[in-house]
Amino acid sequence: SSGINAEYGEVLYEKILAGAYDHVKVVTHRGHSGWTRKVMYAPHLDLIISCSTTSTNSLVLGMKEKNKTQMRTTAFNVPQGVNCFDYNPNMNIIATGDVDLMVRLWNPYVKKPVGVLGGHMTSVTHVILNGSRGQLISLSMDKTFRIWDVQRQACLQRLTGILAKGPDVLYSPVPVSLLFDEPKNRLIMSSNNLLSIMDMKPEMKDRVLSHEKPITCTKYIGRTKQIPFNQVASACQGSTITLWNIDTGQKLKQIQNAHGESEITAMVIDLPSKLLSGSSDGSIKIWDINTTACHRILQAGRDGPVDILQVLCIKRRVIAVGWSRDVCVFRDKQLMSSDFTIVPDEWSGRCEHNEDIMCAVYRAPGHLATASADGEIVLWNPNSENRVMKLESRSNKVMKTQCTVENMLLLDKRLDQPAAAGLLTCGQNGWVRFWNMDSGACEVETSYYSLNSLTSHSNTLQHHDNT
């Protein structure tokens, strides 16, 4: 045909719009007043579905009419607009990820949502319907996944730490892309330079479960004068804390609705008899292990929801991290007061991180480290709360790659040995690193995927392999 390059198979879009090809018919509609975020053709409905981040005409269905160049449209309005959507013909449902933090379910023929799923703390940027399981997968700007049961309209699982929480990952020049392989139940994800595949496990029935909802954290509680048994504390997304006898497996105590309907995201044991739980509602509660009574509520989020990733008990203080570049601290004088609800005090040191702090580690009397989403590690003096040293992967020649630090471990027997690497860090990209806390150097790094290949500047590990 005229206008088609036979070598490359190119068709000029301008000529299509001008009607240059007899076998091509163009139909249009102008249903949105703002930028169109996504377009999909639904052959089962013979509709063009599109969305926009405007409060009116947020989701528009365009229907072709015979011998007409303008489509007939049906518009759905959503407060603040729609970022994304998905349609599944088996379920005959349109799911939208909305700017106002909600996931909405729509019948294509009804202008009001048939379901509203709430729980995300930031705008929803991706939604995927899994028709074979009757489930929905949603992703928000804070890189949190949620898996929903569509029929029950209930959250089955919350997943964090799968995508790197670096600066502007979702709306960076290389955005997050998701593809769901329904026949194999696989979620394929790309983010920056990472391509990840998440397999969904086969559904199992008639299992004996410890919790009704997915478990988010566990802690070991050793025997003390106040605690007669070796115990394990477990917490789940259903806001339930359970204490177990580790020797017999017997359930000893249970705290239901510990944080209302909000899931528990962090937990720490403060011996001799206290347990602290942090929740996505921004609160930290102090519990008595023996009586399960709540002694204090620490409002880390100052009455607002925040993503508490870790809580630590250090000398005369409780600190929490996960949602801010600063360290959130509650001091002993506040905890000893008669106030039941306590707001955080100011951290004495400066704000040293450029991105949100993801994790922290402490060993008495004088070792405290925090790590942020950009891979930066800061060593602190826990007494003065001032920075001692900054370990920055971007300025270290030994570093092969840079990624969010998600976990840290202090190797106790090495902390008093200046030549030894006493700090162990790991992240989502599979790299494990050993840091010297005196010099600030990365002594050894190795990939989780290739543990036989080490890059090292010294023989530190060989000299101290008995630790």
Side-chain angles (χ1 to χ4, degrees), residues 239-255:
S239 201
T240 298
I241 301 172
T242 305
L243 301 176
W244 309 85
N245 186 320
I246 197 172
D247 298 316
T248 65
Q250 178 186 3
K251 182 190 293 184
L252 300 175
K253 297 180 181 69
Q254 191 172 68
I255 306 172

Side-chain angles (χ1 to χ4, degrees), residues 274-313:
K274 291 179 182 178
L275 181 150
L276 284 74
S277 61
S279 170
S280 58
D281 64 1
S283 70
I284 301 170
K285 292 189 177 182
I286 303 177
W287 306 90
D288 187 291
I289 294 175
N290 293 312
T291 65
T292 66
C294 179
H295 290 300
R296 296 283 190 280
I297 298 178
L298 314 181
Q299 293 290 356
R302 298 182 183 271
D303 295 324
V306 295
D307 199 6
I308 299 174
L309 297 182
Q310 192 167 0
V311 180
L312 287 179
C313 296

Side-chain angles (χ1 to χ4, degrees), residues 162-163 177 179 187-191 194-198 428:
I162 295 176
L163 294 174
S177 296
L179 174 65
L187 181 64
I188 303 169
M189 303 164 284
S190 68
S191 171
L194 284 178
L195 179 66
S196 307
I197 298 177
M198 183 170 63
Q428 182 200 6

Side-chain angles (χ1 to χ4, degrees), residues 145-397:
F145 285 91
R146 284 183 179 266
I147 301 176
W148 309 84
D149 185 297
V150 173
Q151 185 175 4
R152 294 191 292 128
Q153 297 185 16
C155 181
L156 302 176
Q157 195 168 3
R158 175 181 178 270
L159 302 171
T160 59
I162 295 176
L163 294 174
K165 198 177 179 182
D168 302 324
V169 169
L170 286 178
Y171 288 142
S172 64
V174 185
V176 172
S177 296
L178 302 181
L179 174 65
F180 188 70
D181 182 1
E182 189 165 323
K184 294 184 179 180
N185 273 312
R186 286 179 174 176
L187 181 64
I188 303 169
M189 303 164 284
S190 68
S191 171
N192 287 348
N193 61 343
L194 284 178
L195 179 66
S196 307
I197 298 177
M198 183 170 63
D199 285 314
M200 301 184 71
K201 293 183 178 179
E203 293 182 299
M204 299 177 64
K205 298 181 179 180
D206 302 323
R207 291 185 301 166
V208 177
L209 301 176
S210 303
H211 286 265
E212 295 181 359
K213 295 291 183 68
I215 295 173
T216 55
C217 45
T218 57
K219 291 295 178 181
Y220 171 73
I221 308 172
R223 182 183 301 173
T224 65
K225 291 182 180 180
Q226 290 83 2
I227 303 173
F229 309 107
N230 291 321
Q231 300 180 26
V232 166
S234 59
C236 71
Q237 290 182 359
S239 201
T240 298
I241 301 172
T242 305
L243 301 176
W244 309 85
N245 186 320
I246 197 172
D247 298 316
T248 65
Q250 178 186 3
K251 182 190 293 184
L252 300 175
K253 297 180 181 69
Q254 191 172 68
I255 306 172
Q256 294 183 330
N257 299 317
H259 290 263
E261 297 182 355
S262 300
E263 56 199 285
I264 297 169
T265 57
M267 192 164 57
V268 68
I269 306 300
D270 185 19
L271 294 177
S273 61
K274 291 179 182 178
L275 181 150
L276 284 74
S277 61
S279 170
S280 58
D281 64 1
S283 70
I284 301 170
K285 292 189 177 182
I286 303 177
W287 306 90
D288 187 291
I289 294 175
N290 293 312
T291 65
T292 66
C294 179
H295 290 300
R296 296 283 190 280
I297 298 178
L298 314 181
Q299 293 290 356
R302 298 182 183 271
D303 295 324
V306 295
D307 199 6
I308 299 174
L309 297 182
Q310 192 167 0
V311 180
L312 287 179
C313 296
I314 65 176
K315 188 177 181 181
R316 297 188 298 275
R317 281 155 294 175
V318 173
I319 66 171
V321 298
W323 69 96
S324 171
R325 298 182 297 131
D326 295 304
V327 178
C328 176
V329 60
F330 300 88
R331 304 191 184 281
D332 191 47
K333 61 181 181 181
Q334 297 174 280
L335 303 177
M336 297 298 292
S337 70
S338 59
D339 297 333
F340 183 72
T341 303
I342 301 172
V343 296
D345 199 0
E346 295 294 329
W347 183 253
S348 297
R350 295 172 51 191
C351 177
E352 299 289 350
H353 286 283
N354 296 315
E355 297 295 333
D356 291 348
I357 301 173
M358 302 297 293
C359 59
V361 65
Y362 170 74
R363 286 292 183 276
H367 298 283
L368 175 65
T370 56
S372 56
D374 57 359
E376 189 176 64
I377 303 166
V378 176
L379 307 183
W380 303 85
N381 181 326
N383 296 316
S384 66
E385 298 180 357
N386 290 320
R387 184 188 77 176
V388 175
M389 188 184 303
K390 184 176 289 190
L391 314 180
E392 191 172 359
S393 61
R394 288 170 293 187
S395 61
N396 199 316
K397 294 181 180 180

Side-chain angles (χ1 to χ4, degrees), residues 97-148:
D98 303 332
V99 180
D100 65 356
L101 321 186
M102 298 298 175
V103 175
R104 289 176 171 84
L105 306 175
W106 307 82
N107 183 318
Y109 306 104
V110 180
K111 284 198 172 184
K112 290 186 178 181
V114 297
V116 180
L117 310 178
H120 281 289
M121 300 298 178
T122 54
S123 294
V124 182
T125 58
H126 296 74
V127 289
I128 295 174
L129 285 165
N130 180 0
S132 62
R133 292 195 178 188
Q135 295 177 354
L136 182 147
I137 303 170
S138 59
L139 172 66
S140 56
M141 285 190 68
D142 59 0
K143 293 85 177 173
T144 298
F145 285 91
R146 284 183 179 266
I147 301 176
W148 309 84

